[in-house]
């Protein structure tokens, strides 16, 4: 209880006392539950007893002092009033110390306690012995009567038949009316409107002889129509032979006010006493309880008033603490300088339960500064202390659990004070536990400047702040309730800063109240670095991949990649454009679903080159005259090749196909070929002309020729033949190129026949070059092949003439024939210049002539091999060669035995 | 002995002359030269040749057409025809073969002599 409060309490008691002392009346304060009554005022003067004596009589004493004739009625009337909670007004004879009786008017109020129960009577006792009633025994002498009435200190009014007959001057003064105003008027005019009914009733009943209180309070009005509280003392008399009412009027405004004030003060005092939460206890110097408020009673389990007068220490202090409390009590009483204003001790309730109370003590002094008691205000701290203990227990448990943890962690209480700081954290942060505990320096682990850590925010349940301070990097923990975790970079930790992953969780007691927060952290710098490195690397890879993709997607040729299961892994823009399928449609599908490669000539499937590449791991070209059937069914001529994709170990993992739409090329080729064709045909005409006329000349049809003339003409004829030959070759080439059916008329033939024939045909040429022709035919060459005779003969012819031309003078050319189960193999070998290795792959190209013979030989179109190979292949065979520069060349070709 | 007739339908003057010179060798023949198909066919109205040498590439009417006409002409449809051309067009050859020819000579590939020898046998 605060000092202020204490003062107020004492003050109001003071006032109360003073107020009561000032009156010339007796005031009593009767505490109904306890039965104690306290008297104020000049008791000795009025009744002859001292206050102490009066107090000691108590309520029973008082009752005895009532004249036995009046007692019953008085008590009854009081009881009635008590039941109604009314004010009361009782008149009875009261015995003085000297034995004589005075007539007293006992009037007062009942005071309710906070519960609304009537607990107190505050009353005033007035000596009314004065001859109010004597006056009724007066003679009817009006004059005497009037004089007497005039003498009265009170206002007097005489009423007859409801009208005012007479008022004394006192009454005039009291109310401001004159006799003139009042006489002859109904007395009710002077009654306050709200009281009119009551007064009228009283009056009428009195007249009828009913028992009505002689003295009662009411309210009248003065000349200004202001209400005046009055006490009316009415009685019947005979006046002028008729019944009249003689009323004594006393202004009790002041009395009422006093009583009201007293009541108010008392109520205030009650109020102060019953402030929630505080126990207010007062005891006298003997340790007897003189006052205990509602809270106190409630806590200790007693009814109101039960404790008053009991010994505090004996009854309410547990035996274990009795001695100690007694000591304190003594200290307080003795006024020793060391006066414990604050003290904590246990109290025992009625049921024996112990509660812990924290007391605030002060001394009660009387006006002579003598100690008359102790006033204490107490607070039940039992729960608080229990909670504190429990908290300490939980903290102990937590400490034990966290002690051994290899993860740095710390624990803060509700007030953000570090309660616990584990060893691992000491190492991590460099801050010792002893320096951390009790402080709020948890921020130092992380930051340069003071700011809340996750634990601080979590313990306050400040989710908004978490959202703000850890925006983008926090998340609610999925594992732990009421916990938040985050990952962040702290530049201030260590040399280069650190990445930490930290979690802060609320710790709650059994009731669910937050009592602290636990934060643990993990250094994930290394992990992050490798993550970063990885991310960077992946970024690099991604950029490279993008570049590559851009290139692939951008190049003009169609590119698609197959895995070893022939599923499309990549399909670039050009591939999309040519095939009509989108990348999306193609991706992941078996190529055959998307790309159909067919032969231009017979619509057969030509996707073999893909299979060949992937199976053999060697690049394969698309066959000539391959068409691609687009999504819309169009046939597009395409060209190019498939190359294998290999892994690090060289294993084939797929293939890359590059192709292009050669429609344009073809058109151009077509045009070219048409042109060649046309030109060739046109050239043939004049060449024929030359040929025939030379022939005629050589035949002598134009006359005998000299040898020289013959010779010259022969030269001309030969040149001409060369030109004709060239044209033949060009025409052949253009036929091959246009894919027109190489007119293959297959017939039965014998390989040896060709040898014979070509040898015969080429003997002149061989002689010219000084070359010996040799044939080696094995027995098994005596077989049948089905070929286009003329064309195959040309092959022999071309190869042999090459061999002869590129041999060194005096050399030989060997033509051999062999066969196996399936085919006949013919070889033509020379020992001439050979083909330089670098140029060998170009051997079968149109117009190709190796560098090493260009200088030596001007003869030759460069078309012979190209045509020969085409013929052989058209007949179902293959052609290849072996060559070494300056050693010679052997050409081979095979022809199938089957039809 | 009756003189045999050879009709040569060839638009090129030089070649025509060369053929004429070459064919001169054959005894007792008359050589009729025509410059184009129309002229050739006209000549058949005058004389029924024993052999016809026919070029393909000719203005106005090409050899194949001429051949068609010949084959349709009752009086001359059975006369042996030799194509002497520079054209190696498969189509043309096939058509001619269908219409019935005794030989197809690519001019530049054959000597006059060989042509003459072959023709002789059909006289």
């Amino acid at each position: 209880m605060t000092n202020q409060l204490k003062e107020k309490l004492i003050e109001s008691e003071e006032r109360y006392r003073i107020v009561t002392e000032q009156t010339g009346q007796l005031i009593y304060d009767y505490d109904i539950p306890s039965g104690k009554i306290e008297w104020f005022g000049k008791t000795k003067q009025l009744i002859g007893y001292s206050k102490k004596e009066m107090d000691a009589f108590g309520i029973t004493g008082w009752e005895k002092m009532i004249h036995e004739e009046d007692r019953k009625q008085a008590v009854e009337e009081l009881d009635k009033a008590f039941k109604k909670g009314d004010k009361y007004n009782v008149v009875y004879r009261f015995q003085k110390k000297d034995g004589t009786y005075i007539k007293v008017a006992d009037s007062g109020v009942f005071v309710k306690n906070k519960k609304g129960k009537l607990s107190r009577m505050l009353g005033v006792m007035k000596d009314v012995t004065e001859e109010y009633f004597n006056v009724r025994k007066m003679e009817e002498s009006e004059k005497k009567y009037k004089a007497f009435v005039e003498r009265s200190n009170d206002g007097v009014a005489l009423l007859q038949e409801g009208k005012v007959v007479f008022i004394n001057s006192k009454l005039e003064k009291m109310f401001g009316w004159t006799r003139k105003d009042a006489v002859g008027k109904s007395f009710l005019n002077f009654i306050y409107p709200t009281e009119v009914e009551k007064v009228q009733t009283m009056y009428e009943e009195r007249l009828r002889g009913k028992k009505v209180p002689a003295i009662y309070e009411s309210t009248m009005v003065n000349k200004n129509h202001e209400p005046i509280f009055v006490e009316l003392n009415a009685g019947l008399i005979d006046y002028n032979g008729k019944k009249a009412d003689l009323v004594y009027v006393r202004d009790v405004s002041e009395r009422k006010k006093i009583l009201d004030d007293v009541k108010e003060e008392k109520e205030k005092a009650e109020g102060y006493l019953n402030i929630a939460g505080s126990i207010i206890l007062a005891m006298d110097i003997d340790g007897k309880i003189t006052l205990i408020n509602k809270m106190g009673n409630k806590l200790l389990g007693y009814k109101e008033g039960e404790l008053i007068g009991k010994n505090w220490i004996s009854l309410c202090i547990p035996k274990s603490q009795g001695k100690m409390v007694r000591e304190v009590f003594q200290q307080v009483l003795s006024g020793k300088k060391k006066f414990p204003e604050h003290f904590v001790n246990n109290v025992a309730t009625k049921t024996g339960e112990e509660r812990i109370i924290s007391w605030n003590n002060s001394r009660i002094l009387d006006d002579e500064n003598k100690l008359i008691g102790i006033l204490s205000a107490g607070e039940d701290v039992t729960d608080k202390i229990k909670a504190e203990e429990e908290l300490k227990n939980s903290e102990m448990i937590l400490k034990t659990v966290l002690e051994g943890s290899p993860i740095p962690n710390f624990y803060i209480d509700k007030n953000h004070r570090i309660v616990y700081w584990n060893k691992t954290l000491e190492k991590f942060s460099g801050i010792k536990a002893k320096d951390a505990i009790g402080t709020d320096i948890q921020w130092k682990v992380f930051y340069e400047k003071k700011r809340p850590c996750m634990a601080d925010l979590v313990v306050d349940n400040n989710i908004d702040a978490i959202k703000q301070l850890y925006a983008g990097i926090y998340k609610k923990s999925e594992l732990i309730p009421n916990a938040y975790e985050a990952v962040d970079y702290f530049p201030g930790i260590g040399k280069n800063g650190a990445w930490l992953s930290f979690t802060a969780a609320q710790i709650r007691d059994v009731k669910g109240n937050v009592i602290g927060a636990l934060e643990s952290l993990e250094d994930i710098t290394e992990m992050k670095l490798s993550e970063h490195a990885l991310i960077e690397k992946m970024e690099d890879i991604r950029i490279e991949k993008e570049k590559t993709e851009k290139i692939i997607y951008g190049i003009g040729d169609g590119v698609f990649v197959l895995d070893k299961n022939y599923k499309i892994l990549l399909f670039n823009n050009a591939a999309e454009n040519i095939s009509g399928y989108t990348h999306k449609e193609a991706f992941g599908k078996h190529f055959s679903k998307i790309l159909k490669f067919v032969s231009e000539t017979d619509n057969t499937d030509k996707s073999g080159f893909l299979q060949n590449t992937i199976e053999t791991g060697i690049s394969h070209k698309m066959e000539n005259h391959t068409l691609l059937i687009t999504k819309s069914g169009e046939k597009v001529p395409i060209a190019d090749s498939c190359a294998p994709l290999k892994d690090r170990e060289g294993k084939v993992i797929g293939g890359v196909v590059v192709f292009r739409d050669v429609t344009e090329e073809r058109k151009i080729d077509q045009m070219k070929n048409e042109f060649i064709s046309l030109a060739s045909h046109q050239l043939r005409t004049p060449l024929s002309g030359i040929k025939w006329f030379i022939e005629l000349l050589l035949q002598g049809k134009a006359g005998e020729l000299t040898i020289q003339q013959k010779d010259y003409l022969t030269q001309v004829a030969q040149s001409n033949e060369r030109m004709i030959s060239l044209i033949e070759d060009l025409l052949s080439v253009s036929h091959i190129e246009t894919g027109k059916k190489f007119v293959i008329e297959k017939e039965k033939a014998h390989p040896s026949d060709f040898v014979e024939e070509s040898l015969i045909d080429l003997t002149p040429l061989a002689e010219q070059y000084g070359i010996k022709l040799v044939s080696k035919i094995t027995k098994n060459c005596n077989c049948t092949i089905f070929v286009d005779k003329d064309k195959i003969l040309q092959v022999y012819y071309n190869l042999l003439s090459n061999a002869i031309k590129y041999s060194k003078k005096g050399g030989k050319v060997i033509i051999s024939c062999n066969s196996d189960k399936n085919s006949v193999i013919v070889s033509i070998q020379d020992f001439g210049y050979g083909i330089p290795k670098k140029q060998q792959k170009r051997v079968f190209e149109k117009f190709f002539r190796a560098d090493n013979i260009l200088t030596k030989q001007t003869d030759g179109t460069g078309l012979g091999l190209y045509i020969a190979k085409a013929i052989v292949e058209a007949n179902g065979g293959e052609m290849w060669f072996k060559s070494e520069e300056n050693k010679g060349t052997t050409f081979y070709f095979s022809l199938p035995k089957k039809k | 002995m009756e003189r045999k007739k050879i009709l040569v339908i060839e638009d090129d003057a030089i070649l025509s002359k060369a053929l004429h010179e070459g064919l001169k060798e054959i005894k007792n023949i008359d050589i009729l030269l025509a410059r184009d198909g129309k002229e050739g066919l006209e000549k058949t109205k005058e004389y029924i040749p024993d052999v016809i040498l026919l070029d393909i590439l000719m203005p106005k009417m090409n050899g194949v057409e001429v051949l068609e006409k010949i084959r349709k002409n009752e009086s001359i449809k059975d006369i042996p025809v030799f194509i002497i051309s520079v054209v190696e067009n498969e189509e043309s050859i096939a058509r001619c073969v269908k219409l019935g020819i005794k030989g197809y000579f690519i001019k530049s590939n054959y000597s006059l002599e060989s042509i003459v020898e072959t023709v002789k046998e059909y006289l």
Side-chain angles (χ1 to χ4, degrees):
Chain A
M1 186 163 80
T2 60
N3 284 335
Q4 211 182 9
L5 205 58
K6 236 192 288 178
E7 272 170 19
K8 269 213 165 3
L9 190 59
I10 293 171
E11 203 183 284
S12 68
E13 288 281 355
E14 222 22 77
R15 252 218 306 274
Y16 177 55
R17 201 164 34 106
I18 290 164
V19 147
T20 56
E21 291 293 349
Q22 299 309 343
T23 65
Q25 297 150 333
L26 280 183
I27 298 179
Y28 61 86
D29 182 0
Y30 169 48
D31 181 55
I32 302 169
S34 66
K36 268 195 137 180
I37 185 163
E38 213 178 329
W39 293 90
F40 304 90
K42 299 188 164 66
T43 54
K44 214 164 187 160
Q45 212 176 357
L46 285 157
I47 321 174
Y49 294 109
S50 70
K51 227 195 282 192
K52 218 174 178 177
E53 285 169 315
M54 284 302 290
D55 286 354
F57 288 145
I59 201 71
T60 36
W62 162 79
E63 219 181 288
K64 285 205 184 108
M65 286 160 82
I66 302 174
H67 196 284
E68 58 184 13
E69 285 170 19
D70 300 332
R71 204 176 293 152
K72 191 168 171 225
Q73 188 188 355
V75 171
E76 264 176 36
E77 274 177 56
L78 285 171
D79 272 354
K80 225 198 289 179
F82 175 70
K83 284 195 177 82
K84 281 197 196 155
D86 262 356
K87 306 185 214 133
Y88 55 88
N89 234 316
V90 189
V91 175
Y92 49 82
R93 282 167 282 177
F94 202 65
Q95 192 174 40
K96 287 167 56 166
K97 190 169 184 179
D98 62 1
T100 59
Y101 284 91
I102 50 162
K103 202 151 204 173
V104 291
D106 186 356
S107 57
V109 294
F110 291 99
V111 177
K112 293 189 182 148
N113 62 7
K114 273 275 165 6
K115 277 197 191 148
K117 206 175 159 196
L118 298 175
S119 63
R120 245 182 170 83
M121 280 172 80
L122 290 176
V124 175
M125 216 185 248
K126 201 174 66 192
D127 185 355
V128 293
T129 324
E130 247 185 64
E131 298 75 21
Y132 290 144
F133 299 112
N134 293 339
V135 88
R136 291 191 178 93
K137 291 180 187 151
M138 245 177 13
E139 281 148 60
E140 294 165 42
S141 162
E142 197 179 307
K143 209 175 169 187
K144 242 193 188 168
Y145 168 68
K146 273 187 185 169
F148 173 74
V149 166
E150 276 297 332
R151 271 209 325 270
S152 177
N153 277 331
D154 295 320
V156 183
L158 181 67
L159 313 171
Q160 193 167 51
E161 282 162 8
K163 295 202 178 70
V164 177
V165 173
F166 171 78
I167 63 170
N168 70 349
S169 41
K170 188 74 193 283
L171 199 63
E172 280 180 321
K173 268 195 211 134
M174 277 168 80
F175 291 93
W177 320 310
T178 61
R179 249 164 245 175
K180 253 198 200 158
D181 295 327
V183 172
K185 302 258 172 50
S186 164
F187 73 92
L188 292 172
N189 288 336
F190 307 100
I191 305 294
Y192 196 72
T194 56
E195 294 285 295
V196 164
E197 197 183 317
K198 175 171 129 200
V199 170
Q200 185 168 17
T201 314
M202 294 280 244
Y203 179 72
E204 282 166 6
E205 287 187 347
R206 193 176 299 113
L207 280 175
R208 280 194 220 116
K210 279 202 173 161
K211 249 193 172 166
V212 286
I215 305 172
Y216 62 96
E217 279 184 11
S218 190
T219 313
M220 288 173 69
V221 290
N222 63 7
K223 185 129 192 204
N224 300 325
H225 297 279
E226 289 165 342
I228 310 276
F229 294 111
V230 293
E231 187 187 83
L232 301 172
N233 193 338
L236 290 171
I237 58 162
D238 284 317
Y239 181 75
N240 288 345
K242 281 192 223 147
K243 279 211 166 37
D245 214 341
L246 188 65
V247 186
Y248 280 82
V249 182
R250 199 172 260 191
D251 184 342
V252 295
S253 309
E254 207 186 308
R255 186 178 82 188
K256 188 167 168 35
K257 194 164 170 296
I258 290 165
L259 282 176
D260 282 345
D261 277 352
V262 165
K263 186 172 155 203
E264 200 187 308
E265 288 303 325
K266 269 289 167 178
E267 278 174 352
K268 262 198 219 162
E270 287 278 343
Y272 293 143
L273 289 180
N274 290 316
I275 292 165
S278 285
I279 304 160
I280 297 177
L281 171 73
M283 34 188 158
D284 61 17
I285 48 172
D286 296 324
K288 293 222 178 73
I289 300 166
T290 56
L291 182 144
I292 181 152
N293 74 346
K294 200 180 73 167
M295 190 67 191
N297 283 317
K298 188 170 161 209
L299 177 87
L300 294 166
Y302 293 95
K303 288 191 220 148
E304 264 200 62
E306 216 177 322
L307 285 169
I308 307 287
K310 303 280 192 314
N311 189 293
W312 169 246
I313 297 172
S314 322
L315 185 63
C316 301
I317 301 294
K319 288 212 166 59
S320 54
Q321 301 204 328
K323 187 175 173 200
M324 175 189 67
V325 174
R326 210 160 273 141
E327 268 178 36
V328 174
F329 196 67
Q330 292 304 325
Q331 282 181 339
V332 174
L333 286 176
S334 68
K336 276 197 187 147
K337 269 208 180 143
K338 254 200 160 190
F339 156 58
E341 279 193 8
H342 184 72
F343 190 72
V344 178
N345 65 272
N346 289 19
V347 296
T349 67
K350 193 170 186 184
T351 57
E353 190 199 335
E354 279 186 36
R355 306 289 297 177
I356 308 166
I357 314 292
S358 167
W359 297 104
N360 217 324
N361 307 315
S362 60
R363 294 176 282 178
I364 305 176
L365 310 166
D366 66 8
D367 3 303
E368 284 129 36
N369 265 353
K370 202 171 114 204
L371 183 71
I372 53 170
I374 297 173
L375 184 67
S376 300
E379 203 184 309
D380 184 352
V381 296
T382 321
D383 291 333
K384 192 171 102 179
I385 287 177
K386 262 204 196 131
E388 272 171 17
E389 271 173 21
E390 264 176 32
L391 183 62
K392 281 212 177 66
N393 278 341
S394 337
E395 285 179 2
M396 274 313 292
I397 293 167
L398 203 58
K399 237 189 218 181
T400 318
V401 164
L402 299 176
E403 185 64 53
S405 170
I407 297 171
N409 53 59
F410 64 90
Y411 174 78
I412 57 169
D413 64 16
K414 263 198 307 183
N415 302 313
H416 304 263
R417 301 278 142 189
I418 298 167
V419 175
Y420 182 70
W421 191 267
N422 83 342
K423 284 207 170 60
T424 326
L425 184 57
E426 282 185 327
K427 267 197 211 127
F428 180 80
S429 63
I431 300 171
K432 289 257 175 244
K434 66 171 164 68
D435 298 325
I437 290 173
T439 70
D440 61 353
I441 58 165
Q442 52 268 32
W443 57 271
K444 279 197 182 166
V445 177
F446 308 98
Y447 308 107
E448 306 277 300
K449 288 199 198 133
K450 184 169 183 179
R451 56 154 272 184
C453 302
M454 187 67 101
D456 292 306
L457 299 176
V458 157
V459 85
D460 289 336
N461 215 30
N462 193 347
I463 300 169
D464 287 332
I466 294 174
K467 282 187 187 161
Q468 220 184 348
L469 287 169
Y470 297 97
I473 54 171
Y474 84 94
K475 77 172 206 263
K476 200 162 190 303
S477 171
E478 282 157 27
L479 297 170
I480 310 167
N482 307 309
Y484 288 84
E485 49 191 59
V487 170
D488 202 0
Y489 176 72
F490 297 90
I493 299 178
K495 261 188 275 171
N496 301 314
W499 279 91
L500 301 179
S501 163
F502 46 98
T503 308
Q506 278 178 354
I507 304 294
R508 295 183 174 195
D509 64 15
V510 286
K511 290 184 195 142
N513 304 314
V514 178
I515 55 173
L518 174 68
E519 182 163 340
S520 61
L521 40 121
E522 206 178 321
D523 188 342
I524 55 164
T525 313
E526 258 187 59
M527 195 177 91
K528 266 287 174 185
L529 283 177
S530 42
E531 223 178 77
H532 274 160
L534 187 66
I535 290 170
E536 268 174 29
K537 215 179 184 127
M538 284 180 67
E539 189 59 26
D540 287 343
I541 292 172
R542 193 189 62 79
I543 290 169
E544 277 308 310
K545 182 171 176 277
E546 261 185 30
K547 266 196 226 161
T548 312
E549 271 182 11
K550 275 205 187 115
I551 293 168
I552 291 178
Y553 278 88
I555 61 178
D557 282 358
V559 179
F560 67 91
V561 175
L562 302 178
D563 65 12
K564 57 181 165 68
N565 297 316
Y566 303 98
K567 298 241 169 79
I568 297 173
L569 298 180
L570 183 145
F571 200 76
N572 78 343
N573 292 356
E576 287 183 325
N577 292 339
I578 296 172
S579 71
Y581 288 97
T582 64
H583 169 265
K584 264 201 195 141
E585 288 169 317
F587 200 78
K589 298 224 175 69
H590 193 279
F591 81 90
S592 58
K593 290 202 167 54
I594 300 289
L595 301 163
K596 299 192 196 330
F597 299 100
V598 296
S599 154
E600 192 172 2
T601 48
D602 58 8
N603 245 16
T604 53
D605 176 72
K606 287 290 170 205
S607 60
F609 74 106
L610 288 171
Q611 268 112 317
N612 286 342
T613 306
I614 289 177
E615 279 164 28
T616 64
I618 299 168
S619 299
H620 278 77
K621 267 178 119 58
M622 235 178 254
E623 269 190 47
N624 275 343
H625 315 298
T626 304
L627 296 176
L628 176 69
I629 302 181
T630 68
K631 187 176 183 183
S632 56
E634 259 179 73
K635 291 183 179 169
V636 177
I638 53 168
D640 245 313
S641 56
C642 179
L645 278 179
K646 295 184 183 169
D647 64 10
R648 274 204 211 143
E649 286 111 49
K651 213 173 74 168
V652 176
I653 53 169
V656 183
V657 178
V658 182
F659 66 98
R660 58 184 199 286
D661 178 347
V662 297
T663 319
E664 277 304 307
E665 274 177 43
R666 290 273 202 92
K667 264 196 217 149
I668 291 165
D669 253 2
Q670 185 103 342
M671 279 172 13
K672 180 190 75 184
N673 285 325
E674 276 168 15
F675 174 76
I676 288 172
S677 205
L678 192 66
S680 306
H681 289 140
Q682 297 303 332
L683 286 168
R684 269 178 174 163
T685 307
L687 287 173
S688 303
I690 296 167
K691 182 187 172 101
W692 289 344
F693 276 107
I694 301 282
E695 192 186 329
L696 288 165
L697 278 169
L698 281 169
Q699 281 173 349
K701 296 278 166 74
E704 194 75 32
L705 292 172
T706 66
I707 294 170
Q708 202 171 32
Q709 284 168 335
K710 248 196 189 152
D711 182 37
Y712 287 177
L713 283 167
T714 312
Q715 298 294 336
V716 172
Q718 269 180 9
S719 292
N720 200 49
E721 283 310 305
R722 264 175 45 208
M723 273 197 283
I724 290 169
S725 221
L726 174 62
I727 287 164
E728 290 304 303
D729 287 346
L730 282 175
L731 281 170
S732 296
V733 163
S734 89
H735 282 157
I736 294 166
E737 300 258 285
T738 53
K740 280 204 191 133
K741 281 182 209 149
F742 225 163
V743 186
I744 306 285
E745 285 170 24
K746 286 193 179 169
E747 302 170 82
K748 256 193 204 172
H750 297 280
S752 42
D753 294 343
F754 297 111
V755 176
E756 273 175 44
E757 210 171 319
S758 51
L759 281 176
I760 294 165
D761 282 343
L762 285 166
T763 304
L765 185 69
E767 279 172 8
Q768 191 185 336
Y769 278 81
I771 303 294
K772 191 171 173 203
L773 293 174
V774 176
S775 82
K776 284 188 189 165
I777 302 171
T778 59
K779 266 201 192 132
N780 54 17
C781 248
N782 245 353
C783 54
T784 322
I785 50 173
F786 289 93
V787 291
D788 182 313
K789 273 185 173 168
D790 288 334
K791 298 244 165 29
I792 293 299
L793 187 60
Q794 190 170 0
V795 172
Y796 277 86
Y797 194 94
N798 286 5
L799 292 175
L800 270 171
S801 65
N802 278 356
I804 293 165
K805 280 189 245 176
Y806 303 127
S807 289
K808 295 167 191 163
K809 205 169 185 154
K812 64 178 173 187
V813 169
I814 306 170
I815 174 166
S816 333
C817 181
N818 219 326
S819 84
D820 64 18
K821 196 169 68 167
N822 296 319
S823 44
V824 165
I825 298 167
V826 179
S827 69
I828 294 162
Q829 185 179 19
D830 70 66
F831 301 88
Y833 306 111
I835 305 162
K837 222 184 180 83
K838 275 194 193 155
Q839 306 205 297
Q840 283 182 11
K841 59 177 183 286
R842 299 185 58 196
V843 153
F844 292 110
E845 276 177 35
K846 280 181 290 187
F847 305 115
F848 173 74
R849 303 191 67 217
D851 297 335
N852 61 340
I853 50 107
L854 272 174
T855 51
K856 295 173 173 69
Q857 266 280 4
T858 49
D859 207 10
T861 57
L863 290 171
L865 281 176
Y866 178 83
I867 292 166
K869 187 163 182 276
I871 292 168
V872 163
E873 281 172 4
N875 278 281
E878 276 178 40
M879 186 178 279
W880 65 98
F881 70 95
K882 277 193 199 135
S883 182
E884 204 180 317
E885 204 169 352
N886 290 323
K887 286 241 174 96
T889 311
T890 309
F891 273 89
Y892 303 86
F893 65 91
S894 67
L895 293 166
K897 277 185 180 173
K898 290 189 190 159
K899 217 179 190 172
Chain B
M1 199 154 64
E2 205 188 302
R3 285 174 79 79
K4 302 278 181 170
K5 291 180 187 64
I6 304 176
L7 174 61
V8 178
I9 309 176
E10 167 64 64
D11 67 311
D12 189 281
I14 295 168
L15 293 179
S16 187
K17 182 146 194 217
L19 282 166
H20 186 261
E21 293 299 305
L23 287 165
K24 253 187 358 188
E25 282 297 306
I26 306 170
K27 301 214 164 30
N28 292 323
I29 57 152
D30 289 321
I31 303 164
L32 308 163
L33 298 174
R35 277 296 162 73
D36 59 54
K38 191 166 167 221
E39 199 187 319
L41 289 166
E42 283 292 316
K43 287 236 169 22
T44 61
K45 289 182 187 156
E46 278 182 59
Y47 308 96
I48 308 283
D50 298 284
V51 174
I52 302 176
L53 295 184
L54 182 57
D55 185 19
I56 297 291
L57 282 180
M58 288 186 294
K60 292 188 198 157
M61 200 193 297
N62 73 28
V64 183
E65 282 174 59
V66 175
L67 186 55
E68 276 171 6
K69 286 213 157 66
I70 291 169
R71 292 295 173 233
K72 282 195 188 135
N73 193 326
E74 275 299 318
S75 49
I76 51 172
K77 71 172 166 57
D78 294 320
I79 298 171
V81 176
F82 289 93
I83 305 287
I84 304 178
S85 179
V86 292
V87 167
E88 229 172 327
N89 188 316
E90 197 189 295
E91 240 179 78
S92 325
I93 298 170
R95 256 174 92 191
C96 294
V97 167
K98 236 185 171 172
L99 290 162
I101 49 172
K102 295 300 177 196
Y104 197 109
F105 295 105
I106 303 291
K107 288 176 196 156
S108 52
N109 289 352
Y110 289 87
S111 61
L112 265 177
E113 202 176 331
S114 59
I115 296 171
V116 169
E117 286 300 317
T118 313
V119 165
K120 241 191 194 169
E121 283 177 32
Y122 282 85
L123 290 171

